Amino acid sequence: MKTVQHLSLAAAATLSALASLSAHATDVVVYGRLNATFENVRVENGHSRNVVNDNASRIGFRGTEDLGGGKAVIFQIESRVRVDGSDSGTTLATRDSWVGLRTPQGTLRLGRTLGPIYYATYDHISMHNHDTGYSSDALLSSAILGNSNAAGGRMNNTIWYTSPKIADFTLEAAYALLDEAPVASGSKRTPHHLGLVTNYDRGPLHAAVSYASTQNTTDLDSAAPIRFNNDRAVTAGGSYNFGPLVVGALFERSKRSTLTEDLTRNYWRIALMAPVGAHEFHLNVGVAGDYSGTDDTAGKQYTLAYNYNLSKRSKVYAYYTKIDNDSARSTGGGGAYSFLGSPAGLDISSVALGIRHNF
């Protein structure tokens, strides 16, 4: 009897210890998205190509360790995966990956990201295919993403603070030490990015105003590195869910300053989604004007799309998208369209059928 009693006490002590450990354990969630299209891509000269294109498929791990008192350590490791047969960009942590601390005073993250401005405005209104693939936004200012040369346009070496929600407002600030070529010895012109966002969220309304500044990312002299540029963008945008229609819009005013030029540009985009049961009908239009003091540098982008939601996590969809460049503009010649090259004035269109599944 005593042996059994001792065993029972030992078991109880072990269970108590395990419960104590479990209370402080890290909760990890595995998530991801598989998203691919079959597309016919063509340019205005009649050249076309059929492709199976991956639309930013990914797998990720999110974790939280509750520290009590409203504090927690949080992390995310997200990696690009491809379902179109390409091995490009499949190494670990190629997408937003960071470690952070959440407190009642706000959340601080350190790592790699597209940044709060992109998520609050440009990505937010891209409702038809999550701003991915051939129909992704080709007109936004590169200052938003830190003129990033990293894979996927993400900024490394980023510190990102998000305030607690106060009267429906949230403030966000991000500062990134960018991965650019070394500057001349002794130079203080470190490539960096600053992003500031004010968000307002109440019911069906989301609105955001942001400011981005990306500096010292351009080498102005190949013989002796001289880096000075200040690429800035002010953006206002958001969306409103009317029920039978969701309307999204943004306006961007960007400016590029170097030792030899000072250019400004206006850009706006409108996105409409009409949900009818499991069906969604989408229209997305973006127009970028000429850079100040230049001609034929404007561009337009149009997308018509249809989604059919098979479930909360899966859909099939189709879209037609087109990028219409003025004669001196080459928007869309890179990224998903890289096989076409990037001559000025390139007009590109694509017809796509796709499947997406979230897990």
Side-chain angles (χ1 to χ4, degrees), residues 118-141:
Y118 174 78
Y119 289 121
T121 50
Y122 305 86
D123 182 65
H124 180 82
I125 70 168
S126 184
M127 297 176 281
H128 68 281
N129 195 24
H130 320 289
D131 199 37
T132 63
Y134 290 82
S135 65
S136 62
D137 190 338
L139 302 175
L140 76 166
S141 169

Side-chain angles (χ1 to χ4, degrees), residues 162-183:
T162 302
S163 77
K165 195 171 185 179
I166 304 171
D168 299 319
F169 287 93
T170 305
L171 304 178
E172 299 186 272
Y175 181 79
L177 297 170
L178 301 172
D179 283 355
E180 300 288 341
V183 298

Side-chain angles (χ1 to χ4, degrees), residues 43-45 47 323 325-348:
V43 293
E44 60 183 342
N45 62 10
H47 174 73
I323 298 174
N325 288 305
D326 281 2
S327 60
R329 188 180 182 91
S330 58
T331 296
Y337 297 97
S338 58
F339 68 88
L340 297 172
S342 55
L346 184 70
D347 289 347
I348 308 161

